[in-house]
mmCIF file of all heavy atoms in Angstrom:
data_model
loop_
_atom_site.group_PDB
_atom_site.id
_atom_site.type_symbol
_atom_site.label_atom_id
_atom_site.label_comp_id
_atom_site.label_asym_id
_atom_site.label_seq_id
_atom_site.Cartn_x
_atom_site.Cartn_y
_atom_site.Cartn_z
ATOM 1 N N ILE A 615 -24.721 15.897 5.863
ATOM 2 C CA ILE A 615 -23.782 14.888 5.510
ATOM 3 C C ILE A 615 -24.474 13.621 5.280
ATOM 4 O O ILE A 615 -25.055 12.945 6.070
ATOM 5 C CB ILE A 615 -22.604 14.691 6.507
ATOM 6 C CG1 ILE A 615 -21.918 16.017 6.808
ATOM 7 C CG2 ILE A 615 -21.617 13.572 6.110
ATOM 8 C CD1 ILE A 615 -20.755 15.960 7.775
ATOM 9 N N PRO A 616 -24.373 13.087 3.992
ATOM 10 C CA PRO A 616 -25.046 11.755 3.653
ATOM 11 C C PRO A 616 -24.206 10.691 4.206
ATOM 12 O O PRO A 616 -23.001 10.765 4.263
ATOM 13 C CB PRO A 616 -25.191 11.787 2.198
ATOM 14 C CG PRO A 616 -24.009 12.693 1.739
ATOM 15 C CD PRO A 616 -23.867 13.733 2.751
ATOM 16 N N VAL A 617 -24.831 9.560 4.627
ATOM 17 C CA VAL A 617 -24.080 8.415 5.085
ATOM 18 C C VAL A 617 -24.705 7.129 4.451
ATOM 19 O O VAL A 617 -25.788 7.157 3.931
ATOM 20 C CB VAL A 617 -24.155 8.321 6.655
ATOM 21 C CG1 VAL A 617 -23.509 9.461 7.268
ATOM 22 C CG2 VAL A 617 -25.678 8.181 7.102
ATOM 23 N N THR A 618 -23.932 6.103 4.480
ATOM 24 C CA THR A 618 -24.387 4.875 4.018
ATOM 25 C C THR A 618 -24.924 3.898 5.038
ATOM 26 O O THR A 618 -25.612 2.917 4.859
ATOM 27 C CB THR A 618 -23.234 4.062 3.239
ATOM 28 O OG1 THR A 618 -22.115 3.887 4.143
ATOM 29 C CG2 THR A 618 -22.839 4.842 2.040
ATOM 30 N N GLU A 619 -24.652 4.289 6.338
ATOM 31 C CA GLU A 619 -25.018 3.515 7.495
ATOM 32 C C GLU A 619 -25.797 4.314 8.479
ATOM 33 O O GLU A 619 -25.186 5.322 9.000
ATOM 34 C CB GLU A 619 -23.773 2.865 8.123
ATOM 35 C CG GLU A 619 -24.104 1.760 9.111
ATOM 36 C CD GLU A 619 -22.840 1.009 9.636
ATOM 37 O OE1 GLU A 619 -21.740 1.287 9.121
ATOM 38 O OE2 GLU A 619 -22.939 0.230 10.546
ATOM 39 N N LEU A 620 -27.045 4.050 8.681
ATOM 40 C CA LEU A 620 -27.815 4.836 9.770
ATOM 41 C C LEU A 620 -27.342 4.575 11.132
ATOM 42 O O LEU A 620 -26.749 3.448 11.402
ATOM 43 C CB LEU A 620 -29.273 4.483 9.597
ATOM 44 C CG LEU A 620 -29.922 4.813 8.227
ATOM 45 C CD1 LEU A 620 -31.422 4.313 8.252
ATOM 46 C CD2 LEU A 620 -29.974 6.345 8.025
ATOM 47 N N GLY A 621 -27.549 5.489 11.988
ATOM 48 C CA GLY A 621 -27.193 5.364 13.351
ATOM 49 C C GLY A 621 -26.887 6.724 14.054
ATOM 50 O O GLY A 621 -27.152 7.755 13.442
ATOM 51 N N ASP A 622 -26.229 6.634 15.257
ATOM 52 C CA ASP A 622 -25.801 7.884 15.863
ATOM 53 C C ASP A 622 -24.273 8.133 15.638
ATOM 54 O O ASP A 622 -23.486 7.104 15.723
ATOM 55 C CB ASP A 622 -26.085 7.799 17.296
ATOM 56 C CG ASP A 622 -27.549 7.712 17.625
ATOM 57 O OD1 ASP A 622 -28.339 8.241 16.731
ATOM 58 O OD2 ASP A 622 -27.936 7.107 18.664
ATOM 59 N N TYR A 623 -23.976 9.358 15.440
ATOM 60 C CA TYR A 623 -22.505 9.702 15.062
ATOM 61 C C TYR A 623 -22.004 10.716 16.199
ATOM 62 O O TYR A 623 -22.709 11.597 16.607
ATOM 63 C CB TYR A 623 -22.480 10.298 13.645
ATOM 64 C CG TYR A 623 -22.524 9.247 12.608
ATOM 65 C CD1 TYR A 623 -23.676 8.706 12.255
ATOM 66 C CD2 TYR A 623 -21.343 8.743 12.040
ATOM 67 C CE1 TYR A 623 -23.868 7.706 11.367
ATOM 68 C CE2 TYR A 623 -21.421 7.734 11.088
ATOM 69 C CZ TYR A 623 -22.738 7.303 10.680
ATOM 70 O OH TYR A 623 -22.806 6.211 9.671
ATOM 71 N N GLU A 624 -20.805 10.687 16.399
ATOM 72 C CA GLU A 624 -20.091 11.624 17.305
ATOM 73 C C GLU A 624 -18.823 12.191 16.856
ATOM 74 O O GLU A 624 -18.251 11.524 15.989
ATOM 75 C CB GLU A 624 -19.864 10.989 18.697
ATOM 76 C CG GLU A 624 -18.897 9.765 18.585
ATOM 77 C CD GLU A 624 -18.674 9.063 19.903
ATOM 78 O OE1 GLU A 624 -19.197 9.599 20.951
ATOM 79 O OE2 GLU A 624 -18.073 7.946 20.012
ATOM 80 N N VAL A 625 -18.428 13.322 17.282
ATOM 81 C CA VAL A 625 -17.148 13.979 16.805
ATOM 82 C C VAL A 625 -16.061 13.267 17.593
ATOM 83 O O VAL A 625 -16.066 13.311 18.806
ATOM 84 C CB VAL A 625 -17.177 15.459 17.044
ATOM 85 C CG1 VAL A 625 -15.799 16.080 16.852
ATOM 86 C CG2 VAL A 625 -18.218 16.095 16.218
ATOM 87 N N VAL A 626 -14.993 12.800 16.889
ATOM 88 C CA VAL A 626 -13.921 12.097 17.548
ATOM 89 C C VAL A 626 -12.610 13.097 17.439
ATOM 90 O O VAL A 626 -11.593 12.785 18.024
ATOM 91 C CB VAL A 626 -13.595 10.771 17.023
ATOM 92 C CG1 VAL A 626 -14.710 9.869 17.450
ATOM 93 C CG2 VAL A 626 -13.359 10.750 15.474
ATOM 94 N N LEU A 627 -12.723 14.113 16.578
ATOM 95 C CA LEU A 627 -11.599 15.031 16.423
ATOM 96 C C LEU A 627 -12.235 16.328 15.889
ATOM 97 O O LEU A 627 -12.926 16.322 14.870
ATOM 98 C CB LEU A 627 -10.440 14.591 15.576
ATOM 99 C CG LEU A 627 -9.222 15.472 15.381
ATOM 100 C CD1 LEU A 627 -8.522 15.619 16.621
ATOM 101 C CD2 LEU A 627 -8.350 14.955 14.249
ATOM 102 N N SER A 628 -11.764 17.511 16.519
ATOM 103 C CA SER A 628 -12.215 18.745 16.019
ATOM 104 C C SER A 628 -10.964 19.650 15.960
ATOM 105 O O SER A 628 -10.274 19.794 16.973
ATOM 106 C CB SER A 628 -13.276 19.367 16.914
ATOM 107 O OG SER A 628 -13.393 20.759 16.639
ATOM 108 N N SER A 629 -10.729 20.326 14.925
ATOM 109 C CA SER A 629 -9.652 21.293 14.729
ATOM 110 C C SER A 629 -9.932 22.570 15.622
ATOM 111 O O SER A 629 -8.958 23.272 15.814
ATOM 112 C CB SER A 629 -9.407 21.593 13.294
ATOM 113 O OG SER A 629 -10.480 22.367 12.822
ATOM 114 N N ASP A 630 -11.083 22.701 16.118
ATOM 115 C CA ASP A 630 -11.560 23.947 16.752
ATOM 116 C C ASP A 630 -11.339 23.794 18.256
ATOM 117 O O ASP A 630 -11.690 24.717 18.993
ATOM 118 C CB ASP A 630 -12.933 24.249 16.358
ATOM 119 C CG ASP A 630 -13.382 25.766 16.688
ATOM 120 O OD1 ASP A 630 -12.533 26.589 16.498
ATOM 121 O OD2 ASP A 630 -14.332 25.866 17.463
ATOM 122 N N ASP A 631 -10.885 22.692 18.742
ATOM 123 C CA ASP A 631 -10.605 22.499 20.254
ATOM 124 C C ASP A 631 -9.614 23.563 20.691
ATOM 125 O O ASP A 631 -8.642 23.982 19.958
ATOM 126 C CB ASP A 631 -10.060 21.137 20.553
ATOM 127 C CG ASP A 631 -11.207 20.117 20.613
ATOM 128 O OD1 ASP A 631 -12.299 20.430 20.313
ATOM 129 O OD2 ASP A 631 -10.793 18.929 20.846
ATOM 130 N N LYS A 632 -9.871 24.080 21.965
ATOM 131 C CA LYS A 632 -8.875 25.094 22.493
ATOM 132 C C LYS A 632 -7.483 24.453 22.634
ATOM 133 O O LYS A 632 -6.489 25.222 22.453
ATOM 134 C CB LYS A 632 -9.453 25.527 23.860
ATOM 135 C CG LYS A 632 -10.443 26.522 23.741
ATOM 136 C CD LYS A 632 -10.798 27.151 25.134
ATOM 137 C CE LYS A 632 -11.826 28.252 24.984
ATOM 138 N NZ LYS A 632 -12.186 28.890 26.291
ATOM 139 N N ALA A 633 -7.374 23.214 22.839
ATOM 140 C CA ALA A 633 -6.060 22.566 23.007
ATOM 141 C C ALA A 633 -5.363 22.647 21.692
ATOM 142 O O ALA A 633 -4.101 22.438 21.690
ATOM 143 C CB ALA A 633 -6.253 21.128 23.431
ATOM 144 N N PHE A 634 -6.058 22.902 20.595
ATOM 145 C CA PHE A 634 -5.388 23.035 19.200
ATOM 146 C C PHE A 634 -5.418 24.449 18.682
ATOM 147 O O PHE A 634 -5.160 24.677 17.518
ATOM 148 C CB PHE A 634 -6.150 22.066 18.158
ATOM 149 C CG PHE A 634 -6.318 20.762 18.664
ATOM 150 C CD1 PHE A 634 -7.463 19.972 18.332
ATOM 151 C CD2 PHE A 634 -5.344 19.988 19.490
ATOM 152 C CE1 PHE A 634 -7.651 18.671 18.789
ATOM 153 C CE2 PHE A 634 -5.526 18.715 19.893
ATOM 154 C CZ PHE A 634 -6.659 18.055 19.541
ATOM 155 N N GLY A 635 -5.735 25.446 19.550
ATOM 156 C CA GLY A 635 -5.694 26.824 19.145
ATOM 157 C C GLY A 635 -6.970 27.310 18.501
ATOM 158 O O GLY A 635 -7.078 28.308 17.821
ATOM 159 N N GLY A 636 -8.116 26.540 18.777
ATOM 160 C CA GLY A 636 -9.367 26.862 18.242
ATOM 161 C C GLY A 636 -10.263 27.644 19.283
ATOM 162 O O GLY A 636 -9.754 28.138 20.376
ATOM 163 N N TYR A 637 -11.540 27.739 18.999
ATOM 164 C CA TYR A 637 -12.460 28.483 19.792
ATOM 165 C C TYR A 637 -13.425 27.629 20.639
ATOM 166 O O TYR A 637 -14.220 28.158 21.364
ATOM 167 C CB TYR A 637 -13.269 29.460 18.921
ATOM 168 C CG TYR A 637 -12.499 30.465 18.210
ATOM 169 C CD1 TYR A 637 -12.112 30.277 16.886
ATOM 170 C CD2 TYR A 637 -11.981 31.714 18.781
ATOM 171 C CE1 TYR A 637 -11.323 31.231 16.189
ATOM 172 C CE2 TYR A 637 -11.289 32.655 18.115
ATOM 173 C CZ TYR A 637 -10.886 32.388 16.779
ATOM 174 O OH TYR A 637 -10.240 33.304 16.121
ATOM 175 N N GLN A 638 -13.363 26.365 20.475
ATOM 176 C CA GLN A 638 -14.174 25.395 21.256
ATOM 177 C C GLN A 638 -15.575 25.626 20.797
ATOM 178 O O GLN A 638 -16.497 25.494 21.740
ATOM 179 C CB GLN A 638 -13.964 25.597 22.771
ATOM 180 C CG GLN A 638 -14.336 24.357 23.568
ATOM 181 C CD GLN A 638 -13.278 23.231 23.394
ATOM 182 O OE1 GLN A 638 -12.113 23.570 23.310
ATOM 183 N NE2 GLN A 638 -13.659 21.961 23.383
ATOM 184 N N ASN A 639 -15.902 25.866 19.562
ATOM 185 C CA ASN A 639 -17.307 26.022 19.121
ATOM 186 C C ASN A 639 -18.007 24.748 18.825
ATOM 187 O O ASN A 639 -19.263 24.653 18.617
ATOM 188 C CB ASN A 639 -17.334 26.891 17.923
ATOM 189 C CG ASN A 639 -17.159 28.406 18.210
ATOM 190 O OD1 ASN A 639 -17.570 28.854 19.221
ATOM 191 N ND2 ASN A 639 -16.417 29.070 17.335
ATOM 192 N N ILE A 640 -17.231 23.566 18.701
ATOM 193 C CA ILE A 640 -17.837 22.266 18.511
ATOM 194 C C ILE A 640 -18.022 21.605 19.867
ATOM 195 O O ILE A 640 -17.069 21.300 20.605
ATOM 196 C CB ILE A 640 -16.928 21.408 17.650
ATOM 197 C CG1 ILE A 640 -16.692 22.217 16.252
ATOM 198 C CG2 ILE A 640 -17.435 20.082 17.491
ATOM 199 C CD1 ILE A 640 -17.873 22.245 15.362
ATOM 200 N N ASP A 641 -19.287 21.231 20.165
ATOM 201 C CA ASP A 641 -19.592 20.589 21.399
ATOM 202 C C ASP A 641 -19.563 19.075 21.135
ATOM 203 O O ASP A 641 -20.328 18.531 20.408
ATOM 204 C CB ASP A 641 -21.044 20.929 21.794
ATOM 205 C CG ASP A 641 -21.403 20.255 23.173
ATOM 206 O OD1 ASP A 641 -20.609 19.409 23.635
ATOM 207 O OD2 ASP A 641 -22.482 20.595 23.636
ATOM 208 N N LYS A 642 -18.423 18.411 21.635
ATOM 209 C CA LYS A 642 -18.182 17.101 21.267
ATOM 210 C C LYS A 642 -19.125 16.061 22.108
ATOM 211 O O LYS A 642 -18.981 14.856 21.878
ATOM 212 C CB LYS A 642 -16.647 16.764 21.502
ATOM 213 C CG LYS A 642 -15.827 17.541 20.456
ATOM 214 C CD LYS A 642 -14.370 17.120 20.307
ATOM 215 C CE LYS A 642 -13.624 16.517 21.400
ATOM 216 N NZ LYS A 642 -12.225 16.472 21.147
ATOM 217 N N SER A 643 -19.882 16.649 22.930
ATOM 218 C CA SER A 643 -20.857 15.764 23.639
ATOM 219 C C SER A 643 -22.146 15.494 22.852
ATOM 220 O O SER A 643 -22.961 14.671 23.166
ATOM 221 C CB SER A 643 -21.145 16.345 25.020
ATOM 222 O OG SER A 643 -21.973 17.496 24.832
ATOM 223 N N VAL A 644 -22.254 16.305 21.830
ATOM 224 C CA VAL A 644 -23.521 16.210 21.013
ATOM 225 C C VAL A 644 -23.441 14.902 20.181
ATOM 226 O O VAL A 644 -22.490 14.568 19.550
ATOM 227 C CB VAL A 644 -23.671 17.361 20.047
ATOM 228 C CG1 VAL A 644 -24.793 17.194 19.021
ATOM 229 C CG2 VAL A 644 -23.849 18.697 20.823
#
Side-chain angles (χ1 to χ4, degrees):
I615 298 180
V617 297
T618 57
E619 192 174 354
L620 295 175
D622 294 335
Y623 285 77
E624 62 183 350
V625 173
V626 293
L627 180 67
S628 167
S629 69
D630 195 47
D631 281 3
K632 280 190 176 179
F634 308 145
Y637 297 97
Q638 205 75 35
N639 286 322
I640 300 293
D641 185 352
K642 293 193 333 195
S643 68
V644 173

